[in-house]
Amino acid sequence: MAAPNIALRAVRTGMRMSQDDFARALQAAGHRVGEPNDANKRLVQRWESGAITAPRPVYARALEVVTGLPISLLGFAAVPGEHVIDDERGGHDLTSPLSSLATPTLTAKPATVHGSYEGVWLSRYQYYSSGRGDSFAGQHFVVMLQHGERLTVRSLPGSAASSLSMDLTVDGAVVTGTWVEQTDPAGYYRGARYHGAIQLLAEPTGRRMAGKWVGFGKDMDVNTGPWELVFQDASTSKATLDRYNTSVT
């Protein structure tokens, strides 16, 4: 009997999506990245039950876009260097660039020369708290995935008490998109959800992006402040993400 994919189910339920909702999100993601797919509730059920051990490439990419996580962390079976694909349309092999990356240390490394921004980054932003009359900084280690010109950014849960996500589009050196932060339920903002827009300029080295965020405050005023992303590591393997899944100091 196949082992159920507990990791995928946990991610889906953590996003508060039904299997139908998740399938629709996968279809929408496919259209956004120019790779339409036929995801449906039955396919999600087969993934979660373990009847399908790994998705075809078109679904793997959509899963990464929707969840913001590398396919290697979504509970699918794989052998070193490749994913074994088995879905309703037949079997294919997909070489995985994620599993072939060596596990690095926490020392920052140069960005890849081909312009990929995929990897682990340190996110830092500053904001002014009118209630406390002072400026503060928010910091997270985030994993960035790239599909063409689209970047999906999700914070590692152990790196901060709040959770952060960004959906960005790259146009040359200009990176534009939206951000969402779910604040710490036990913190000053008591789990409030904030969101807004962001625009960054990527340095030629590919190791840093810096710019401004804009968003609303608790009194419905519009605020802005600096934001930067600093490259840490090109790997998105589980071992690497485990290393960075710790509080930013």
Side-chain angles (χ1 to χ4, degrees):
M1 182 177 178
N5 188 334
I6 298 172
L8 180 64
R9 177 178 173 80
V11 169
R12 175 182 62 78
T13 57
M15 297 173 71
R16 299 182 180 180
M17 286 186 176
S18 68
Q19 291 175 331
D20 271 328
D21 293 336
F22 196 61
R24 285 192 290 269
L26 291 171
Q27 288 190 20
H31 284 291
R32 290 200 305 272
V33 300
E35 294 184 327
N37 63 68
D38 299 318
N40 53 43
K41 179 179 180 179
R42 181 171 181 270
L43 181 58
V44 175
Q45 288 174 334
R46 287 170 61 79
W47 286 338
E48 292 187 356
S49 70
I52 296 175
T53 59
R56 292 192 301 121
V58 66
Y59 291 117
R61 288 186 283 272
L63 282 161
E64 289 187 337
V65 170
V66 170
T67 65
L69 295 171
I71 197 68
S72 59
L73 298 187
L74 294 179
F76 292 108
V79 296
E82 66 178 23
H83 292 301
V84 180
I85 308 303
D86 177 19
D87 70 5
E88 293 170 315
R89 298 189 185 180
H92 308 273
D93 289 337
L94 169 64
T95 299
S96 171
L98 304 178
S99 56
S100 62
L101 294 169
T103 301
T105 66
L106 293 179
T107 304
K109 296 178 176 58
T112 50
V113 296
H114 53 76
S116 172
Y117 295 111
E118 194 153 301
V120 177
W121 294 67
L122 173 61
S123 167
R124 297 191 186 109
Y125 66 86
Q126 294 181 1
Y127 65 98
Y128 179 77
S129 172
S130 57
R132 290 175 286 180
D134 202 356
S135 293
F136 296 87
Q139 299 188 110
H140 303 76
F141 282 125
V142 299
V143 57
M144 184 181 296
L145 302 178
Q146 182 165 3
H147 297 274
E149 77 281 4
R150 305 187 74 90
L151 303 176
T152 303
V153 180
R154 299 291 183 268
S155 62
L156 295 173
S159 67
S162 64
S163 62
L164 173 70
S165 65
M166 288 186 275
D167 292 294
L168 308 171
T169 301
V170 179
D171 184 2
V174 180
V175 182
T176 306
T178 59
W179 60 269
V180 177
E181 183 169 9
Q182 189 75 39
T183 62
D184 178 9
Y188 178 80
Y189 294 103
R190 300 181 180 180
R193 181 177 182 271
Y194 291 96
H195 55 85
I198 185 171
Q199 189 162 68
L200 308 164
L201 292 177
E203 294 183 350
T205 60
R207 295 182 61 180
R208 182 173 179 268
M209 303 178 188
K212 297 280 189 177
W213 63 266
V214 62
F216 64 91
K218 66 177 182 179
D219 297 321
M220 297 307 293
D221 50 342
V222 176
N223 300 321
T224 188
W227 201 319
E228 71 170 356
L229 293 167
V230 182
F231 179 79
Q232 303 293 303
D233 207 299
S235 175
T236 55
S237 70
K238 184 178 185 303
T240 301
L241 299 189
D242 285 345
R243 287 174 177 264
Y244 285 95
N245 195 21
T246 184
S247 297
V248 180
T249 57

